[in-house]
Amino acid sequence: MTNWKQKVIVITGASAGIGEGTALHFAKFGAKLFLTGRNSDNLQKTKDQCVQLGLPDENIGSVVGDITDKTVQSKILSGALEKYGKIDVLVNNAGMVHYLKTGDTSDEEYDEMFDTNVKAQFMLTKAAMEYIKQTKGSYLT
């Protein structure tokens, strides 16, 4: 069984839904987490819940921002590396959808979904690969 207390896990979209649940799951095992999401209040809520599950506050880092922003992508990786010195796992969970109320999706809505759900995920994984390879880690998209 993996000793998660020694693992650094970066989770995008950790401010709600599956990302929040993933953070809480790994918090139970004592992993070192680096969380990101667009909503600072919800991201803080996730961090607080991790602490309530027994994860020490010093084992939780975070960056608030939109992963489609290359500056935010850089801050995610540099923040995790600065705090922990390595990255073992990348959980590329952030995503979004425009619900089709009218039966049509505008070009702008499509671009926003593609940029968030595909392009940002690819670019963050690409940038993180050298660090994940060093630890013989894993990435999930």
Side-chain angles (χ1 to χ4, degrees), residues 99-116:
Y99 292 101
L100 303 175
K101 294 181 181 178
T102 64
D104 193 17
T105 301
S106 71
D107 290 351
E108 292 80 17
E109 290 171 329
Y110 174 81
D111 288 343
E112 184 181 16
M113 289 187 295
F114 187 85
D115 288 348
T116 302

Side-chain angles (χ1 to χ4, degrees), residues 26-79:
F26 283 116
K28 292 176 188 175
F29 293 104
K32 295 177 174 133
L33 303 179
F34 200 86
L35 311 176
T36 185
R38 293 184 298 180
N39 185 303
S40 61
D41 292 338
N42 287 350
L43 193 59
Q44 184 60 50
K45 179 183 153 210
T46 300
K47 290 168 65 176
D48 292 344
Q49 290 178 57
C50 289
V51 170
Q52 289 172 2
L53 289 171
L55 190 65
D57 189 53
E58 62 268 12
N59 284 6
I60 309 168
S62 67
V63 168
V64 176
D66 187 330
I67 64 162
T68 63
D69 182 334
K70 290 183 182 194
T71 303
V72 172
Q73 293 174 22
S74 179
K75 286 180 181 178
I76 293 167
L77 299 180
S78 64

